[in-house]
Amino acid sequence: MTNRPFAPRRQGVTSWLACSLVAVAMDINRRMTMGEWGLLFTLSVLWGGSFFFNGVAVRQLPTLTIVAARIAMAAVILWGVVLLGQRRRIPHGWRLWGSFLVMGLLNNAIPFSLIVWGQSRITSGVASILNAATPLLTVVVAHVVTADEKMTAPRLTGIVLGMAGVAVVMGADALSSLGVRTVAQLACLAAALSYAVAGVFGRRFRTMGVSPLMTAAGQVTASSVILLPVTLIVDRPWQLPVPGFDTVLACLGLAVLSTALAYVLYFRILATAGATNLLLVTLLVPVSAILLGVVVLQEALLANHLIGMALIGLGLATMDGRPLQAVRTATACNLRTKTWLG
């Protein structure tokens, strides 16, 4: 018998869809490539930079106004690229826009609101530690609701090491505050859970044939529709003083770099590497924020920063598996060499 190429019409739509999902599962379940690791580190720098931009913007603007401006400007930028740069039409259909709305709620509106409320009552260090629970929660959610991102011992061990590294980076003061304001901390954990569910939910856009750029534009548009009315009611931005040039530049940095470009990378990594691998970025964001502070703001690099970053690196290496596999291979080769020489 000769091997024939796979033909969807002969096999039927159901068989074709099943084979396509298996292919996606095999693609997502593999280790990340060097290119995907590069995109992940770039995403961590873009989101780590948001702490710097936020630090400038909050001096003159209330929080909801910053968040709404960030998302709305990002939506305008992304749709400009979609419509003018790539000359694509705006997608339509209730199913697709319903998915955008759910993604906007899970990935922006709900976690942003919870984190803002929580950070008004706890320190940013504690909030960062709690946010680092995102990949651990993603492993649990993905294990329960997906067939191709199951929990493994190396994955779980790597995430625990990474969370320990984040805690060390943040220092003893942040750790001593854990448990002091329980409700605010639960709000930050709920935000991390929302990010985790969003990461798993967002995998559907690849199977729907939606590009990372279009998905990013649709998500921030849905988030804008949700947050803009709330901001107008709560902050009344038209009554605020005109912000300074530094504040405007910071808001543009948040919109262009930390949102528009960041979410294009986010959905591209999600489509190929899966939710569990993608949300490792929350372990890298504190490292990026500290390194940017050292380089841009001339802040001090302390011993706990170096130890914490080493733990995070060890956790990432454990999850990836290749460094450990290289050690095992080298050890086995050494043993075989000694046996042969002996």
Side-chain angles (χ1 to χ4, degrees), residues 169-212:
V169 165
M170 293 305 165
D173 291 340
L175 289 174
S176 64
S177 300
L178 285 172
V180 175
R181 296 185 180 274
T182 306
V183 177
Q185 292 174 14
L186 287 175
C188 290
L189 279 176
L193 178 60
S194 186
Y195 281 132
V197 176
V200 176
F201 180 84
R203 298 185 350 151
R204 69 182 52 213
F205 293 108
R206 182 184 182 184
T207 60
M208 295 170 72
V210 185
S211 69

Side-chain angles (χ1 to χ4, degrees), residues 62-144:
T63 303
L64 276 178
T65 298
I66 295 170
V67 173
R70 169 184 180 178
I71 295 174
M73 284 192 292
V76 172
I77 293 166
L78 288 170
W79 283 119
V81 175
V82 169
L83 299 177
L84 301 178
Q86 297 194 350
R87 299 188 181 277
R88 297 185 181 182
R89 295 182 178 179
I90 296 177
H92 60 276
W94 287 107
R95 179 170 175 266
L96 179 58
W97 279 98
S99 296
F100 284 153
L101 181 62
V102 173
M103 193 67 185
L105 280 169
L106 292 173
N107 213 32
N108 291 148
I110 292 174
F112 283 4
S113 301
L114 289 171
I115 289 173
V116 167
W117 184 85
Q119 280 194 267
S120 67
R121 291 159 176 80
I122 61 177
T123 65
S124 58
V126 173
S128 297
I129 293 173
L130 295 171
N131 189 54
T134 299
L136 180 60
L137 293 171
T138 304
V139 168
V140 176
V141 173
H143 179 80
V144 172

Side-chain angles (χ1 to χ4, degrees), residues 39-54 70 103 107-108 112 131 134 195 199 219-220 253-267 269 278-290 292:
L39 291 176
L40 194 74
F41 279 104
T42 302
L43 180 59
S44 75
V45 172
L46 293 174
W47 279 347
S50 67
F51 289 95
F52 169 76
F53 295 133
N54 280 327
R70 169 184 180 178
M103 193 67 185
N107 213 32
N108 291 148
F112 283 4
N131 189 54
T134 299
Y195 281 132
Q219 178 206 248
V220 294
L254 282 169
V256 177
L257 300 176
S258 300
T259 308
L261 178 57
Y263 273 126
V264 173
L265 298 183
Y266 174 98
F267 286 108
I269 301 169
L278 166 65
L279 292 174
L280 292 175
V281 71
T282 56
L283 299 177
L284 293 171
V285 166
V287 175
S288 298
I290 287 172
L292 286 171

